[in-house]
Amino acid sequence: MPRTVSVVAGLLVLAGCKPPPHPVERVEVVAASLAEAQVLALTPAQAQADLSSRLVPDRGFRLLNPGTRGVDNAVRLTLELDAVQEQANAAGLPAFEEVTASLGIRRSAEDGVERITVQASRNQPVEGEALEARQEAARRALGDVLDRLVKEARVHLDARGRDDARLVKDLRSRDALVRHAATSALVARHNRAAIPALVEQIKGDDPLEVRRAIGGLVELQAREAVPELIEISRGKDPGFLRELVYALGAIGGDEAQAYLYTMSQGHDQPAVRDAARQALEEMDRHGRRAQNRAPRNASLAPGGRPR
């Protein structure tokens, strides 16, 4: 082993195998999304400065000087405010301000541009009835969201630097964020070892994580996961069901076809029936329907429930 490699390896061991900070060449804020979050009363420059202040080596990032170019593996971060919602208490007064935001991560890689998106949602109690109290609560929630996004971004970028064997090992980590980052990295590499982890994630209670996991199963065309996808449809609202039937249509196969046929014929919500019909049409268009086989829908009742 060359001496320089040995030295680097030794330093990584001494540092607990912690990777070096990720260089950040640009931080941006989607101004339109911030304009809609009026209760925050923040300018894009203020939000950008708030996020940038958290990009320190202790959190796994190194903010480059403005205008610096040509740094290997440098990333660009784009913050977008997805929603700022007020939750009222029993008396109808503001109780919490909830902020949801996404962080887009863009980095040039050997095989093209690598893109990762992480999302977080946090709330804070409103301590008073005035607008200033709501604003303070929303800003505290935004601070919590930014902390979470920075942490998720670091873990996901760390995962993208690992080989498949290490990622498969990380699927068994006690840290849920490490598991999710490993799963995401394996999906990006079209490694089907991620499928069991994705199936576990769709059984969770976090809607954001469930939707991400469903997207991963679609990306991997995981037909072996169709029974589990059908199982989680039970008792769900029409909005979620519409998303799910489109996902099943994108995956395709015998079981997906049978389920979608049943939904298209017998679900009590017209919007769900229409979505199922559209999903079946997409399966036809892309050749994902079962071949020479009648729909096996006899075992399913309208709405996707067993008879």
Side-chain angles (χ1 to χ4, degrees), residues 59 61 146-156 175 177:
R59 296 188 178 190
F61 290 94
L146 294 180
D147 284 340
R148 179 64 182 184
L149 291 174
V150 169
K151 182 178 181 179
E152 288 202 22
R154 175 185 59 80
V155 175
H156 277 268
D175 187 328
L177 182 52

Side-chain angles (χ1 to χ4, degrees), residues 238-254:
F240 180 83
L241 282 178
R242 290 178 65 193
E243 294 180 42
L244 190 60
V245 298
Y246 286 129
L248 288 167
I251 293 174
D254 292 2

Side-chain angles (χ1 to χ4, degrees), residues 38-304:
Q38 297 181 2
V39 68
L40 287 169
L42 291 175
T43 65
Q46 288 172 320
Q48 181 184 36
D50 197 0
L51 175 57
S52 298
S53 69
R54 300 164 198 270
L55 302 175
V56 295
D58 284 349
R59 296 188 178 190
F61 290 94
R62 176 170 61 92
L63 192 60
L64 301 174
N65 292 325
T68 302
R69 295 291 183 271
V71 177
D72 290 342
N73 295 318
V75 300
R76 297 182 181 183
L77 303 177
T78 302
L79 176 69
E80 183 169 4
L81 273 292
D82 299 315
V84 179
Q85 297 177 320
E86 180 181 292
Q87 301 178 10
N89 58 24
L93 298 175
F96 292 91
E97 289 289 338
E98 182 179 78
V99 175
T100 302
S102 301
L103 188 66
I105 306 162
R106 183 180 184 277
R107 177 172 64 179
S108 296
E110 293 181 358
D111 55 351
V113 177
E114 185 176 47
R115 289 183 173 85
I116 308 170
T117 300
V118 295
Q119 187 180 52
S121 181
R122 293 291 185 273
N123 61 47
Q124 282 286 336
V126 178
E127 300 171 354
E129 300 180 14
L131 175 61
E132 290 77 7
R134 291 180 53 209
Q135 183 180 88
E136 176 60 27
R139 289 184 175 182
R140 291 199 311 272
L142 175 61
D144 291 345
V145 165
L146 294 180
D147 284 340
R148 179 64 182 184
L149 291 174
V150 169
K151 182 178 181 179
E152 288 202 22
R154 175 185 59 80
V155 175
H156 277 268
L157 285 168
D158 289 350
R160 297 302 172 98
R162 294 171 180 155
D163 61 27
D164 285 14
R166 171 62 190 276
L167 291 174
V168 171
K169 182 178 179 181
D170 284 346
L171 293 176
R172 301 187 295 274
S173 171
R174 294 182 179 181
D175 187 328
L177 182 52
V178 171
R179 294 197 305 271
H180 293 165
T183 304
S184 175
L186 288 169
V187 170
R189 299 174 191 179
H190 294 92
N191 188 324
R192 299 178 69 81
I195 292 175
L198 292 169
V199 169
E200 286 303 309
Q201 288 179 29
I202 66 173
K203 300 175 185 177
D205 297 324
D206 186 336
L208 295 178
E209 293 300 333
V210 171
R211 285 179 167 84
R212 290 177 189 172
I214 291 173
L217 292 171
V218 171
E219 181 71 19
L220 295 175
Q221 292 287 284
R223 294 188 177 183
E224 59 266 54
V226 167
E228 297 291 348
L229 290 169
I230 293 173
E231 182 64 30
I232 68 167
S233 73
R234 306 181 196 285
K236 294 300 193 297
D237 64 84
F240 180 83
L241 282 178
R242 290 178 65 193
E243 294 180 42
L244 190 60
V245 298
Y246 286 129
L248 288 167
I251 293 174
D254 292 2
E255 291 175 279
Q257 178 183 339
Y259 176 79
L260 293 175
Y261 181 82
T262 299
M263 299 288 273
S264 71
Q265 297 299 307
H267 197 276
D268 56 5
Q269 293 290 328
V272 176
R273 293 199 301 270
D274 290 344
R277 281 193 287 268
Q278 292 174 25
L280 285 169
E281 290 172 2
E282 284 297 306
M283 287 178 67
D284 271 340
R285 187 173 298 115
H286 296 284
R288 289 191 290 260
R289 272 215 195 195
Q291 299 298 317
N292 303 317
R293 191 188 297 268
R296 294 184 291 126
N297 63 307
S299 62
L300 294 173

